[in-house]
Amino acid sequence: MDRPVDDVSLVFDVDDTDPLAKLTSPSGAEVAAPPDRPRMAGGFGPLMTWAADSDGRLLDIDDRIARFTGRSREECLDKNLLDAVHVDDRQGLRQAWRRAKRSGTPFDYEVRVEAADGRFYWHRTRAFPEPGAGDEPTWCGVMEDIHAQPIPDKPIGRALQYDHLTGVLGRAAFLAKLHAVVQHCINTDGTLSLVLVDLDQFAAINDRLGHKAGDEVLRQVARRLEDIVGTNTTVGRVGGDKFGVIVPGEIGDGASCAARIEGAFDRDFALKRGSVSVGASIGMAGYPRDAENGEALFKCAGLALNSVRAGLGPGHGFNGPARNRQQIRMAAVSVIRNALDQGLVHPYYQPKVSLATGEIMGFEALLRWEHARYGIQPAQSVVDAFDDPELATALDDHMFKRIAQDIKSWRRDGIRFGRVAFNISPVRFRHGKLAQKITRQILREGLSPHDLELEITEDVLIGRDVTDTAADLQSLSDSGLNIALDDFGTGFASLVHLKHFRIDALKIDRSFVQNLGDPRNSAIVDAILHMGRKLSIATVAEGVESEAQAKQLRRRGCDLAQGYLFAQAMPKDEVDRYLAGRKPVKA
Ligand code: C2E
Ligand code: CA
Ligand code: CA
């Protein structure tokens, strides 16, 4: 949307007391005024205004929507309008909207909307398309309460609370429940455990057997979890293939529940055709032993889960978060050290795509390691190892050698696609002569600096040795290597240093990309993009997952994008197939 979002609430020339007031668009055009119609029980309630993109993602809402739904503006923005609508009305609304999109005319449809009290109220929803700067219009809408009473005999708030697929609590409701139960324990000196269950290799089940089979497995897992746990225990689906269980009582109760859950995966899952064996990793944390509030408890159980996934032993029964953190760090170091020794560390490549043309402009090499039981693991699972100077150097050297081999093979085969970016650990800047080392490595491997791009985070630009670092980067840049600032916008040091040496690319951190609907976030993104243009620095958006994000970024003038929308990181032979079979993707 090119208009500042704050303007949207001015779009409607209406006031609360006169619901039949004329609607005008910002361009002054009149839009379908509500026809004269009999008032329903309770009369017309207040009008609430919203703006959304063509997919229904909310770009702005007025305070009345926030008050009505009991959610803050921040919670609503970026969510889909349809999420607040009763499940039974979603399809109809979607169809009405689709028809309106096709014809470019307003739509007018009645739906049930969930209120703060968890009940649904009938609302008449009308919206009209308002041309924006890009291809897609912004939809400016108004919602009108046409039913003063909540709708009786409907399951209360079920649509939003429960996960449609599995019938257990959805993520938001589960976290709200966790928060409430912890609060209750705080007030009553109680204890509880949180168990997180993550299915192993679930993506492979989807790939191999199809999404229907994957869905069926998730449904059955939910049933087994519900069967195992006691009546006062809560089960929720907290991620695609991740479940959470809140177990009130002593930590021992949590541990025995975790053990029962482990046992539940001993049996295969029956499918329409045959059956499948599914493994799971389990992490557990307890209040007050490991954390003092719901959020910290969730994080702590997540850490325990990561340590299990990284093959670091059972994730339940550890002693306190501080020790656990230290243990995880040490274990991460030893796990990845072993993987390195056994030749199980590989570069995977994620494409960077031009938002204007859809062309592939290069790849970023990301570290992956193989776990004997759990398969390929992301770098994130061992990031702690990058803080260990010796191991970080060994990993970076290994990655560099493997990347060099791959680049030479692509060159031999005449495959060209711009530069390959590689990451190096910030700790390596502390030990001096980094520029020399990298330049020598490039020469030794028979590459040109023009084949490569170095990604560094802003962290390396703060601290004592920043003059040495700047000198290192300057000399690398002089040699023809591109330098990209990673996770841009999350650190402190950025702006000052942009003038000390040449930066070729700014990588806008994923957190900004995923919250483009938040005006403060999008203002930062616009500022980064503007600065990039002024200083002739390419801008790359990280973590682009949806068409809507890609469109917005393109509209705002971002050059390149990287993210699951285009492709996940893949091994070299898959890159070859990907490049061979690919038509340009246009955002
Ligand atoms: P990074 O450099 O910011 O890398 C981006 C991370 O985001 C990668 O995680 C990537 O797989 C993930 N990602 C990419 N697209 C999406 C998306 O659309 N959605 C989401 N949610 N995530 C996306 P990964 O591979 O686990 O790497 C984590 C971090 O580990 C990297 O962050 C980087 O700082 C570090 N790292 C990775 N490989 C290396 C390496 O070879 N050497 C060093 N020193 N660090 C590395
Ligand atoms: Ca990176
Ligand atoms: Ca990054």
Side-chain angles (χ1 to χ4, degrees):
M1 200 162 68
D2 56 343
R3 191 175 56 242
V5 276
D6 287 350
D7 285 353
V8 175
S9 49
L10 303 175
V11 166
F12 300 97
D13 182 17
V14 292
D15 73 38
D16 291 7
T17 53
D18 182 7
L20 297 185
K22 200 163 47 178
L23 291 176
T24 46
S25 77
S27 51
E30 234 175 78
V31 293
D36 220 0
R37 44 179 290 170
R39 294 183 177 221
M40 300 178 78
F44 288 88
L47 291 172
M48 307 188 283
T49 59
W50 51 266
D53 70 14
S54 297
D55 298 320
R57 206 172 49 88
L58 287 167
L59 303 171
D60 196 25
I61 58 164
D62 70 12
D63 292 343
R64 281 163 296 199
I65 294 196
R67 280 200 300 276
F68 179 78
T69 58
R71 285 153 204 257
S72 67
R73 262 176 67 80
E74 286 65 38
E75 280 175 289
C76 294
L77 295 183
D78 248 357
K79 301 277 165 16
N80 201 299
L81 177 71
L82 288 159
D83 289 347
V85 168
H86 194 286
V87 260
D88 296 346
D89 300 332
R90 285 185 196 167
Q91 196 182 0
L93 178 60
R94 222 180 266 127
Q95 279 169 352
W97 202 331
R98 214 178 292 135
R99 275 196 300 275
K101 270 196 265 188
R102 242 182 273 131
S103 56
T105 53
F107 69 78
D108 185 338
Y109 197 73
E110 286 177 10
V111 290
R112 284 157 288 185
V113 181
E114 193 178 28
D117 62 6
R119 295 195 277 184
F120 287 88
Y121 293 75
W122 280 106
H123 279 76
R124 179 174 177 189
T125 299
R126 285 162 291 165
F128 61 87
E130 177 64 16
D135 310 335
E136 296 283 346
T138 295
W139 288 79
C140 299
V142 60
M143 255 186 216
E144 181 186 325
D145 183 351
I146 50 174
H147 202 312
Q149 301 304 317
I151 295 144
D153 45 275
K154 277 280 162 194
I156 295 170
R158 203 177 157 85
L160 282 184
Q161 284 191 336
Y162 290 88
D163 173 48
H164 292 314
L165 182 66
T166 60
V168 297
L169 279 189
R171 181 184 167 90
F174 181 85
L175 293 179
K177 173 95 188 207
L178 178 65
H179 183 76
V181 181
V182 171
Q183 198 54 47
H184 180 72
C185 286
I186 293 172
N187 297 336
T188 58
D189 266 341
T191 53
L192 72 96
S193 307
L194 171 66
V195 181
L196 292 181
V197 184
D198 193 355
L199 306 191
D200 296 334
Q201 308 256 20
F202 184 68
I205 295 179
N206 268 334
D207 286 350
R208 208 154 31 95
L209 305 172
H211 284 266
K212 279 204 178 121
D215 286 354
E216 179 55 25
V217 168
L218 290 172
R219 271 192 290 266
Q220 290 188 31
V221 168
R223 287 299 77 72
R224 285 191 194 179
L225 291 177
E226 282 182 328
D227 288 347
I228 283 168
V229 302
T231 42
N232 57 353
T233 305
T234 307
V235 179
R237 181 166 169 221
V238 296
D241 58 349
K242 203 185 269 181
F243 293 84
V245 182
I246 304 168
V247 190
E250 293 302 319
I251 206 84
D253 298 337
S256 90
C257 182
R260 287 201 305 280
I261 291 174
E262 226 158 8
F265 288 87
D266 289 344
R267 278 179 294 132
D268 285 0
F269 290 79
L271 298 172
K272 263 205 180 120
R273 271 181 252 140
S275 66
V276 62
S277 140
V278 180
S281 305
I282 298 171
M284 190 187 101
Y287 168 85
R289 192 189 64 175
D290 305 321
E292 50 193 25
N293 59 47
E295 205 190 343
L297 188 63
F298 192 77
K299 273 200 189 126
C300 205
L303 281 173
L305 184 64
N306 286 344
S307 78
V308 176
R309 295 211 59 127
L312 314 180
H316 41 96
F318 54 79
N319 298 313
R323 225 178 111 199
N324 185 49
R325 191 82 216 111
Q326 181 61 17
Q327 281 169 349
I328 289 179
R329 179 163 298 149
M330 282 162 47
V333 167
S334 91
V335 156
I336 192 74
R337 167 99 262 162
N338 285 340
L340 187 62
D341 291 345
Q342 292 167 28
L344 299 175
V345 174
H346 316 287
Y348 271 43
Y349 300 93
Q350 186 178 40
K352 298 186 186 180
V353 176
S354 156
L355 281 168
T357 64
E359 255 178 296
I360 292 172
M361 308 302 283
F363 283 85
E364 176 178 2
L366 292 161
L367 180 148
R368 295 290 178 268
W369 64 280
E370 272 177 73
H371 185 288
R373 183 161 150 227
Y374 303 118
I376 293 293
Q377 300 295 310
Q380 196 57 47
S381 63
V382 288
V383 276
D384 287 326
F386 296 130
D387 295 337
D388 179 291
E390 191 213 339
L391 186 53
T393 307
L395 286 169
D396 286 353
D397 285 350
H398 172 78
M399 283 288 288
F400 193 87
K401 275 202 196 99
R402 292 284 309 271
I403 295 166
Q405 280 168 10
D406 290 343
I407 293 178
K408 283 184 284 188
S409 157
W410 278 314
R411 299 293 178 253
R412 272 198 304 276
D413 295 342
I415 298 173
R416 309 218 151 256
F417 48 67
R419 297 180 187 237
V420 174
F422 63 108
N423 294 276
I424 68 169
S425 308
V427 288
R428 297 195 49 208
F429 280 92
R430 291 201 211 127
H431 298 276
K433 298 205 179 138
L434 187 63
Q436 247 181 36
K437 277 184 208 153
I438 293 180
T439 312
R440 234 185 262 141
Q441 253 174 339
I442 294 175
L443 288 177
R444 195 167 50 227
E445 298 295 341
L447 295 178
S448 150
H450 295 93
D451 292 324
L452 294 159
E453 178 160 284
L454 171 66
E455 294 198 1
I456 52 161
T457 54
E458 299 166 76
D459 307 1
V460 306
L461 301 176
I462 30 179
R464 281 180 296 126
D465 307 324
V466 65
T467 358
D468 290 349
T469 303
D472 268 341
L473 292 172
Q474 180 66 53
S475 92
L476 287 171
S477 171
D478 290 344
S479 76
L481 188 75
N482 267 10
I483 313 274
L485 271 192
D486 211 347
D487 307 341
F488 192 74
T490 57
F492 302 103
S494 14
L495 296 178
V496 186
H497 295 281
L498 286 181
K499 62 178 189 195
H500 288 323
F501 54 87
R502 208 190 132 67
I503 292 286
D504 302 281
L506 295 177
K507 300 194 73 182
I508 304 169
D509 191 65
R510 187 166 80 221
S511 55
F512 297 114
V513 172
Q514 279 169 355
N515 291 305
L516 280 173
D518 177 341
R520 275 168 303 191
N521 256 322
S522 54
I524 294 173
V525 170
D526 284 340
I528 297 175
L529 295 175
H530 181 73
M531 193 169 62
R533 273 193 296 278
K534 285 280 174 210
L535 299 176
S536 303
I537 301 176
T539 42
V540 187
E542 295 189 313
V544 176
E545 292 180 354
S546 72
E547 295 280 0
Q549 287 166 349
K551 270 185 197 139
Q552 279 231 30
L553 287 159
R554 184 168 70 120
R555 213 178 294 159
R556 288 170 189 277
C558 183
D559 301 316
L560 307 182
Q562 214 181 320
Y564 297 162
L565 173 66
F566 305 103
Q568 299 211 4
M570 52 196 139
K572 173 174 181 296
D573 51 347
E574 223 171 279
V575 172
D576 297 346
R577 286 196 294 276
Y578 175 76
L579 289 170
R582 192 169 179 283
K583 294 191 196 84
V585 178
K586 209 165 172 192

